[in-house]
Amino acid sequence: PDSYNITGKKILLVEDEPVNRKLMEKFIESTGAELISTESGLESVELCTKDDSIDLVLMDLTLPDIDGYTAMERIRKERPTLPMVAQSATSMSEHRERARNSGADDFIAKPIKKEELYNAIWKQLFSREGN
């Protein structure tokens, strides 16, 4: 399908590049999900710690304060089952492996393709144990 209906789900987008953030917001808006976003790795950790209604995190790996790897490690300690999808323009196998080791459940390469994004979100929200 061209879009997925995930109304009722809350997604945190962590992306510091305005063009990428706008594109991701447009893609997610069509799903019906509630979207919150930040440009900060530190703020993403704080949001995930304080807001247990966040259902999924889309994490850029290159951020201005702490990188996405560190942010995911910190989030994973507080929310061990929260699905996280890493996103990066660098998609070499060592970056994918490091992202997984830092807590990412999936990885999508930039430039983001809508279908890949939707598939990653759907997989993490509905193909996981207990959902």
Side-chain angles (χ1 to χ4, degrees), residues 54-73:
I54 294 171
D55 295 299
L56 178 113
V57 177
L58 296 170
M59 179 70 71
D60 185 19
L61 295 178
T62 306
L63 298 166
D65 49 11
I66 62 170
D67 63 36
Y69 302 108
T70 303
M72 287 189 298
E73 288 170 356

Side-chain angles (χ1 to χ4, degrees), residues 5 11-12 25 43 60 69 86 93 111 121-122 128:
N5 184 343
I11 296 175
L12 170 61
E25 287 171 351
E43 187 177 5
D60 185 19
Y69 302 108
S93 60
I121 290 171
W122 194 263
R128 293 167 63 95

Side-chain angles (χ1 to χ4, degrees), residues 59-62 67-73 76 84-88 90-108:
M59 179 70 71
D60 185 19
L61 295 178
T62 306
D67 63 36
Y69 302 108
T70 303
M72 287 189 298
E73 288 170 356
R76 187 60 70 214
M84 292 189 285
V85 177
Q87 49 169 328
S88 178
T90 307
S91 61
M92 294 186 298
S93 60
E94 58 265 21
H95 293 272
R96 290 174 181 268
E97 183 66 26
R98 183 174 175 206
R100 288 202 187 279
N101 290 339
S102 297
D105 298 293
D106 205 345
F107 185 101
I108 52 178

Side-chain angles (χ1 to χ4, degrees), residues 12 14-16 38-48 59-60 62-72 74-75:
L12 170 61
V14 188
E15 173 61 68
D16 66 316
T38 181
E39 301 173 18
S40 162
L42 289 171
E43 187 177 5
S44 72
V45 175
E46 184 178 329
L47 287 166
C48 288
M59 179 70 71
D60 185 19
T62 306
L63 298 166
D65 49 11
I66 62 170
D67 63 36
Y69 302 108
T70 303
M72 287 189 298
R74 292 180 184 180
I75 292 167

